[in-house]
Every structure is written in C-alpha cells, then in structure tokens.
Amino acid sequence: DAGVIQSPRHEVTEMGQEVTLRCKPISGHDYLFWYRQTMMRGLELLIYFNNNVPIDDSGMPEDRFSAKMPNASFSTLKIQPSEPRDSAVYFCASSLEGTVGYGEQYFGPGTRLTVT
Amino acid sequence: GESVGLHLPTLSVQEGDNSIINCAYSNSASDYFIWYKQESGKGPQFIIDIRSNMDKRQGQRVTVLLNKTVKHLSLQIAATQPGDSAVYFCAADNNAGNMLTFGGGTRLMVKP
C-alpha cells in the first residue's frame, strides 16, 4: 500500500481565496483524521470520520473550515475564505480500529499551506 | 479538556548514549498512549504504544514506561543513533473513541 496520500504537498495562496486539501486514506481503514500543525500550537485534531461519517468536528477552528468524506477512499478539507493565520501544515491520518486499543494512526506527508 | 505536555522542548545527546523523553498527561481516564517520531518534512510515524494495564513495554531499542499514579510516561531510546534525530510526540486517547491528544513535542538532537 502507498500509505496515506495527500495533495497538494505545498499550497501558496492569497488571503480570501478558497483552499482545498485532499486525502486518500489507506485502503480498508475506517477512521480518517485531519490535523493541523503549527509551531505555536503543535499538532491539533480538527475533525475525524468513522466510516465516512464525521464524528467530532469540535477542533475545527471556525465556519471557514469544512471537511467532507464522500466515500471511503477520499476526503477534503476546505478553507473558504483563507486567512494568513491558517498557514500551517495539514496532516491527514487514517487508522483501523483493532480489537485492542484504538489502532495506530498512519499519517500522510502533509500539505504545507501558506496564505499571504 | 485533555492536555498532554512534554517537559523538555529540546534534548541533545551523544551518539551511543541512551535518551529519555518525558511526557505528562492530564486525563486520568486515558488508557492508551502512543509515541510518534516526526522527521523534518514528514508526518508523524508510530514508534510504540502502551495500554494503561501495563507499566512497561519494549520494542526494538525503545522502551515506554507508564506511571499512572503521577500521569507520566517516558520514551527511552537505547544507543541513540543519528537517525533518531527528530521530534518526538506523545499522545493519549480521550477514552471516547479514536481521538488522540498530542503533546507539544520534544526535539531530539544526536551529536556525533
């Protein structure tokens, strides 16, 4: 398996523009997570899905952020309109809930977003 | 809410020495903990995990110790190598599904 795939790897956009980040989880995994990483706040969970259904979006900063998972192999995180403070690395991770514990989360390579 | 933090932001060790990275958590209901390693430009990578019914778990060159009394866990790396240089995160579950709360990270620097 190629692991979790994210695109684009880098995104530079101007304030006010819409940004869409994409993720393909590992095949067969039933959990998908979106994280944001900054130097100031570290790694923050934004939202996670179980079997394509959003379970907890309490980490989504505000209404400008939205996430969808239309099927088991694809998810998007959208920011509209984007602001400079959204600049961060956004990670997608997936996992398979095992019989013991909660399963290891496999992270993608991340998307580095810069909003100017 | 849950908070997970690290005592030291940067740890510098000599190649071949053992490394110990510490982490504190706040939610006494957490029963699953993971250590991740993040190299520059990459996503976090699983190293080792431990459940709360254990106080020690060993992997290849790594050992995780869990002290539930003081809500503290540590990652020990034996014979640290240059390839171990990275940022290490601890994470704890919130006892409500697959959510993890991550600590702030400790940067491990290995001196040749």
Side-chain angles (χ1 to χ4, degrees):
Chain A
D1 197 309
V4 175
I5 299 173
Q6 290 186 248
S7 65
R9 291 295 310 277
H10 301 274
E11 177 79 32
V12 180
T13 190
E14 292 183 346
M15 181 174 61
Q17 297 298 306
E18 178 181 293
V19 175
T20 300
L21 310 181
R22 297 173 176 79
C23 175
K24 175 178 168 51
I26 292 174
S27 177
H29 281 191
D30 51 3
Y31 282 85
L32 184 140
F33 307 82
W34 281 101
Y35 289 91
R36 177 173 67 177
Q37 186 175 44
T38 63
M39 289 297 294
M40 293 295 293
R41 301 174 67 89
L43 199 59
E44 303 172 279
L45 177 65
L46 300 177
I47 185 172
Y48 80 97
F49 296 81
N50 178 217
N51 292 321
N52 313 337
V53 176
I55 302 301
D56 192 319
D57 65 353
S58 59
M60 297 286 262
E62 48 197 276
D63 292 344
R64 298 185 296 107
F65 285 69
S66 62
K68 295 182 179 179
M69 192 166 185
N71 58 64
S73 59
F74 184 66
S75 177
T76 60
L77 177 67
K78 186 174 293 187
I79 307 173
Q80 167 64 21
S82 58
E83 298 182 2
R85 60 190 170 124
D86 301 330
S87 297
V89 180
Y90 291 81
F91 288 103
C92 176
S94 69
S95 71
L96 178 65
E97 186 169 13
T99 57
V100 177
Y102 298 94
E104 173 187 342
Q105 292 187 20
Y106 293 80
F107 282 76
T111 295
R112 181 174 295 277
L113 174 65
T114 303
V115 182
T116 61
Chain B
E2 167 78 51
S3 70
V4 182
L6 294 168
H7 295 306
L8 298 173
T10 303
L11 176 65
S12 183
V13 300
Q14 202 71 38
E15 181 179 356
D17 288 351
N18 297 334
S19 302
I20 300 177
I21 301 172
N22 297 304
C23 179
Y25 62 96
S26 63
N27 187 349
S28 57
S30 294
D31 64 2
Y32 181 61
F33 307 87
I34 305 178
W35 280 100
Y36 283 89
K37 172 186 180 183
Q38 186 176 20
E39 296 175 281
S40 179
K42 298 182 180 179
Q45 179 182 16
F46 173 91
I47 302 173
I48 191 169
D49 60 359
I50 188 169
R51 290 191 62 83
S52 60
N53 61 352
M54 304 172 66
D55 54 21
K56 180 179 180 179
R57 190 171 187 205
Q58 287 185 291
Q60 187 176 18
R61 286 202 304 118
V62 295
T63 301
V64 56
L65 300 178
L66 176 63
N67 186 330
K68 295 179 289 295
T69 302
V70 296
K71 291 183 286 188
H72 180 273
L73 68 159
S74 66
L75 176 70
Q76 300 179 2
I77 304 174
T80 313
Q81 303 170 359
D84 296 326
S85 294
V87 176
Y88 290 81
F89 294 93
C90 64
D93 79 299
N94 71 346
N95 204 32
N98 258 30
M99 288 180 65
L100 293 174
T101 299
F102 283 78
T106 291
R107 180 175 300 280
L108 175 65
M109 299 175 62
V110 182
K111 297 178 289 185

